[in-house]
Amino acid sequence: MLRATFLLLSVNVFLPSVLYAIPQANRDSQKQLQELRTRIDALQKDLVDKKSSKAKAADALRESERSINDLHAKLAKLAQQQKNAQEKLNQLQNSSALLQDDINNRQKQLGKLIYHQHLAKYGNYLPLLLKQQNPDKATRNFYYYSYIAQARSKNIDNLRNQLTALDTLAHESHIQNESLKRIHNEQIHHKRQLELEKNRKSEILATLSQEVTRQQKKIDELKQDEQRLSNLIEKLNRQLARKKSAPAKADGKSVLRNDKLPDSTEHRGSFAALKGKLRLPVKGELANRFGSPRESGSIKWQGLFIRSAGGNEVKAIAGGEVIFADRLRGFGNLMILDHGNHYMSLYGNNAAIHKRVGSKVKSGDTIATVGNSGGNAETGLYFELRYQGKPFDPLSWVKLE
């Protein structure tokens, strides 16, 4: 019989009210919303700055790339100049080789002339001419020796000029080649510097891009949080409006409060004889009453929710036996007392229960501690009275004064 009664109870019991928490939750939500919007504004301002820095970094990177491209063109032009200079140097070297061959030939001819001059140990031409007995032969020899002397002098002059020209060509080629090498090395060094700068700016741009993407994602997430919080505040405001109007719509009574607890006075007779004499199990404000509409509006409360501070003691309203003491979904830590003759009392949302199934309790015994188990936003006790498994209004059985 008790098991059947408990199954019927599990089907008909509903969650306690959370309406007491609405004003405080609304204020907290408004504060969180303001903080959230302030944070979003700060992030958006920082995002604008980062986007500006990203644009500047992109411009600087493009400028570096243009400089590198211009430098590549200069290097290509310089390479062509160096190629031309090398070709010219090769030509100069070929000319120098030919000139060197000519110098060698002239040196040989000069050597022969000197050899002929000294072959007969002639110091000069005059004694040689004076020894000639044949005038015609002497004249011919004079012209011959004069020609040799002129040829020798000319060869010496030409040789001297060719050697000077060869030295000049070699010196100019060396200077030009060294100048091209120096310019080329400077350009290579400058190119390396630009490449390093380009890589640095690329890294900065990549970092800024990642930061912008991350920050944009964070702002999107915060905006979603803001929307959810705004929706919650609107919901809380609607619930608050319903709460303010609920007492007048339900029974026109003001909010009630219980300030007295059951005591250990022995009540004789059946539980039915206690009607009008019972005390509520905890001190606190009656947030919801039997028969008043729940939040959805289509379901009514089947008991009382007594708003009370966490840790307060929950008292047994009358003597009885514990028939259930465990956690039940929607009711948190729940205790049910059997008072006989099919009367039961229910105590839900407790932080802890202090009696076990089968325990005998008396009126005023501490059976639990007030909490908010069962997923409630506020602390308090959910309380029901039932007869033959059906709930009835506890206020018709208790006294509050």
Side-chain angles (χ1 to χ4, degrees), residues 18 27 36 40 49 95 141 203 208-209 219 225 302 354:
V18 296
R27 288 191 294 272
L36 195 58
I40 290 174
D49 294 339
S95 299
N141 287 335
E203 291 175 359
L208 286 172
S209 297
I219 288 176
D225 293 343
Q302 300 190 57
H354 302 320

Side-chain angles (χ1 to χ4, degrees), residues 209-265:
S209 297
Q210 292 175 357
E211 184 66 19
V212 167
T213 300
R214 185 195 66 78
Q215 201 154 349
Q216 186 62 62
K217 182 179 179 182
K218 184 62 178 177
I219 288 176
D220 292 341
E221 292 175 353
L222 289 176
K223 285 184 176 179
Q224 292 176 0
D225 293 343
E226 178 189 22
Q227 185 60 47
R228 284 193 290 267
L229 193 55
S230 296
N231 294 340
L232 174 61
I233 290 175
E234 291 179 4
K235 180 180 179 181
L236 291 174
N237 285 331
R238 290 195 298 269
Q239 292 174 345
L240 185 59
R242 284 198 295 270
K243 179 196 173 195
K244 290 179 179 179
S245 61
K249 291 181 179 180
D251 51 18
K253 297 179 181 179
S254 59
V255 176
L256 299 178
R257 181 175 181 82
N258 177 59
D259 292 317
K260 293 185 179 181
L261 295 174
D263 54 31
S264 58
T265 302

Side-chain angles (χ1 to χ4, degrees), residues 293-306:
R294 291 175 64 93
E295 184 178 350
S296 63
S298 60
I299 302 174
K300 295 182 178 181
W301 289 99
Q302 300 190 57
L304 303 176
F305 184 75
I306 307 170

Side-chain angles (χ1 to χ4, degrees), residues 107-122:
Q107 286 177 337
K108 290 179 181 179
Q109 291 176 1
L110 183 60
K112 289 180 180 180
L113 289 174
I114 294 174
Y115 173 76
H116 282 295
Q117 282 185 324
H118 294 278
L119 184 63
K121 298 182 180 179
Y122 296 143

Side-chain angles (χ1 to χ4, degrees), residues 18-285:
V18 296
L19 290 178
Y20 175 68
I22 291 177
Q24 182 61 39
N26 193 24
R27 288 191 294 272
D28 293 343
S29 298
Q30 290 283 2
K31 182 179 179 182
Q32 292 174 5
L33 182 60
Q34 183 60 39
E35 293 175 351
L36 195 58
R37 286 173 176 170
T38 301
R39 187 179 177 190
I40 290 174
D41 291 340
L43 283 174
Q44 285 180 328
K45 183 178 182 300
D46 190 43
L47 180 61
V48 171
D49 294 339
K50 282 188 171 59
K51 285 183 176 179
S52 176
S53 299
K54 178 183 175 183
K56 291 179 181 178
D59 292 340
L61 181 60
R62 283 193 293 270
E63 187 63 29
S64 296
E65 290 174 346
R66 278 196 294 268
S67 298
I68 291 173
N69 290 335
D70 293 342
L71 185 58
H72 277 297
K74 290 179 180 179
L75 288 174
K77 185 177 180 180
L78 185 64
Q80 185 61 43
Q81 291 177 355
Q82 193 170 25
K83 181 180 179 181
N84 295 337
Q86 186 63 49
E87 291 176 355
K88 185 177 180 180
L89 184 61
N90 293 337
Q91 292 174 0
L92 290 174
Q93 290 174 346
N94 291 334
S95 299
S96 297
L98 294 175
L99 186 58
Q100 186 66 52
D101 291 339
D102 191 37
I103 289 172
N104 293 336
N105 291 332
R106 289 184 182 278
Q107 286 177 337
K108 290 179 181 179
Q109 291 176 1
L110 183 60
K112 289 180 180 180
L113 289 174
I114 294 174
Y115 173 76
H116 282 295
Q117 282 185 324
H118 294 278
L119 184 63
K121 298 182 180 179
Y122 296 143
N124 53 58
Y125 303 125
L126 184 58
L128 184 64
L129 291 175
L130 292 177
K131 291 180 180 181
Q132 297 293 327
Q133 298 178 358
N134 188 337
D136 292 333
K137 185 177 180 181
T139 301
R140 286 195 302 273
N141 287 335
F142 178 78
Y143 282 114
Y144 172 73
Y145 289 125
S146 296
Y147 172 77
I148 290 176
Q150 291 176 1
R152 184 187 67 177
S153 178
K154 186 177 181 179
N155 271 340
I156 290 174
D157 291 339
N158 288 337
L159 182 60
R160 185 181 294 111
N161 292 335
Q162 287 175 336
L163 289 174
T164 301
L166 184 61
D167 290 339
T168 301
L169 288 175
H171 182 67
E172 290 178 354
S173 299
H174 177 74
I175 291 175
Q176 186 174 14
N177 200 33
E178 288 299 319
S179 177
L180 287 173
K181 286 182 179 179
R182 178 180 56 79
I183 295 174
H184 182 73
N185 290 336
E186 289 179 357
Q187 297 283 10
I188 290 296
H189 176 72
H190 190 46
K191 179 184 176 183
R192 289 198 189 102
Q193 293 298 114
L194 286 176
E195 290 287 355
L196 290 174
E197 184 67 14
K198 176 187 174 183
N199 293 337
R200 188 182 69 83
K201 290 176 179 177
S202 296
E203 291 175 359
I204 293 174
L205 182 61
T207 301
L208 286 172
S209 297
Q210 292 175 357
E211 184 66 19
V212 167
T213 300
R214 185 195 66 78
Q215 201 154 349
Q216 186 62 62
K217 182 179 179 182
K218 184 62 178 177
I219 288 176
D220 292 341
E221 292 175 353
L222 289 176
K223 285 184 176 179
Q224 292 176 0
D225 293 343
E226 178 189 22
Q227 185 60 47
R228 284 193 290 267
L229 193 55
S230 296
N231 294 340
L232 174 61
I233 290 175
E234 291 179 4
K235 180 180 179 181
L236 291 174
N237 285 331
R238 290 195 298 269
Q239 292 174 345
L240 185 59
R242 284 198 295 270
K243 179 196 173 195
K244 290 179 179 179
S245 61
K249 291 181 179 180
D251 51 18
K253 297 179 181 179
S254 59
V255 176
L256 299 178
R257 181 175 181 82
N258 177 59
D259 292 317
K260 293 185 179 181
L261 295 174
D263 54 31
S264 58
T265 302
E266 185 66 29
H267 296 288
R268 298 183 180 277
S270 65
F271 184 82
L274 299 176
K275 184 176 181 180
K277 302 177 183 179
L278 297 174
R279 295 289 184 181
L280 290 175
V282 294
K283 294 180 179 180
E285 184 180 278

